[in-house]
Amino acid sequence: MSKKRDFKRIVLKLSGEALAGEQGYGINPVTVEEIAKEIAALAKSTDLEIAIVVGGGNLWRGLAGSNKGMDRATADYMGMLATVMNSLALQDALEQAGVDTRVQTAIVMQEIAEPYIRRRAIRHLEKKRIVIFGAGLGKPYFSTDTTAALRAAEIEADAILMAKKFADGVYDSDPKINPEAKKFEELTYMDVISRELKVMDATSTTLCKDNDIPIVVFSMDIPGNITRAAMGEDVGTIVRGEK
Ligand code: UDP
């Protein structure tokens, strides 16, 4: 058992799927409300500064799935727009749960959100507003994992918390297929890259490695787990420079 980690500022990465609830696609308001309540309670009861990156796979995914035969960049831009819808849904639920929030988008859409401005994002965090980064990095051929990694580096976050659906950490093989699959408690970035473990895409892992940002991979299917991960308890798998 490693000792409890002390995070001051975190980036929480939620997949789009996390907002979908039972039906597996779209935005489920009840699910969003549950997630928002947990995050709001965490924000209210601690000094933790929370930034959120939410994916878009519940609505549209550029590369794999939705884009059959479509121009890649166009499909990716549609994916970025999907993340904006998710960001607004999450913002609404968080504010209803009683916390101040700002959405900042990497593609300017000033009628509905602030543009991404690094120093402003940091200021919001210092004022205890939850900042949601929408529209990914605003560039095709990237992902919301890359967004989490780059934004975490920019705002000098202490860790990225990767909240997963249907997975409670990183395994040496797929536990759904192999009942003998072994879960790792700790891994190095190099382990993840060389063994091609499914934590985040390789570009994002490399960014975290270069900037020494720990990644905590854990299940959000267990209520209270976002809080446990944010409080630095041992949930799931931690990826960092040294074990
Ligand atoms: N996307 C992109 N650039 C970015 C962020 C996202 O092109 O900087 C697109 C990409 O097509 C991706 C989609 O947005 O497939 C939705 O994001 P992602 O698949 O990462 O969401 P998740 O799997 O976490 O729900």
Side-chain angles (χ1 to χ4, degrees):
M1 252 332 196
S2 56
K3 85 172 185 24
K4 216 168 155 226
R5 291 169 288 272
D6 192 15
F7 302 139
K8 182 160 172 5
R9 180 178 291 165
I10 52 139
V11 171
L12 173 65
K13 165 72 211 296
L14 299 172
S15 64
E17 212 179 17
L19 309 189
E22 296 284 293
Q23 79 265 34
Y25 60 89
I27 299 173
N28 183 322
V30 178
T31 307
V32 179
E33 188 188 326
E34 279 165 10
I35 299 169
K37 277 190 175 152
E38 181 172 353
I39 300 169
L42 176 67
K44 284 188 217 170
S45 62
T46 64
D47 288 336
L48 199 66
E49 296 174 11
I50 304 168
I52 302 176
V53 172
V54 59
N58 55 322
L59 300 171
W60 182 268
R61 186 163 272 136
L63 179 61
S66 322
N67 72 333
K68 304 248 172 346
M70 191 184 247
D71 170 60
R72 166 77 193 264
T74 303
D76 277 349
Y77 279 116
M78 291 171 70
M80 288 178 250
L81 294 177
T83 72
V84 177
M85 289 185 49
N86 285 337
S87 299
L88 294 180
L90 203 55
Q91 175 177 43
D92 180 79
L94 283 166
E95 300 238 327
Q96 289 198 37
V99 283
D100 287 334
T101 65
R102 294 290 185 274
V103 174
Q104 290 200 343
T105 56
I107 296 171
V108 176
M109 37 185 99
Q110 61 186 12
E111 283 78 4
I112 53 174
E114 292 180 5
Y116 172 66
I117 299 171
R118 173 179 167 264
R119 294 176 67 119
R120 201 160 170 187
I122 291 172
R123 192 76 191 112
H124 289 321
L125 291 168
E126 287 169 352
K127 288 187 176 171
K128 288 280 296 166
R129 296 178 183 133
I130 295 178
V131 180
I132 305 167
F133 296 121
L137 291 173
K139 298 280 176 271
Y141 299 93
F142 288 97
S143 67
T144 48
D145 286 352
T146 353
T147 309
L150 184 63
R151 293 293 183 245
E154 288 187 86
I155 65 168
E156 297 180 10
D158 301 312
I160 297 174
L161 309 185
M162 299 278 294
K164 296 272 187 192
K165 292 290 285 178
F166 318 117
D168 63 352
V170 186
Y171 286 78
D172 60 355
S173 57
D174 188 344
K176 283 182 217 122
I177 298 166
N178 176 12
E180 306 283 301
K182 183 175 150 292
K183 187 172 121 186
F184 299 103
E185 273 197 21
E186 299 192 358
L187 285 167
T188 64
Y189 304 110
M190 280 317 293
D191 291 334
V192 173
I193 294 165
S194 63
R195 299 175 70 159
E196 296 185 12
L197 297 170
K198 288 191 177 57
V199 174
M200 40 172 45
D201 52 56
T203 314
S204 315
T205 312
T206 307
L207 255 174
C208 289
K209 175 176 174 289
D210 291 348
N211 296 290
D212 208 14
I213 305 163
I215 311 160
V216 182
V217 184
F218 66 99
S219 163
M220 61 177 295
D221 299 316
I222 302 165
N225 248 8
I226 293 176
T227 310
R228 282 180 210 108
M231 300 311 287
E233 288 175 27
D234 280 325
V235 279
T237 305
I238 181 157
V239 183
R240 56 186 161 190
E242 299 162 10
K243 283 186 205 165

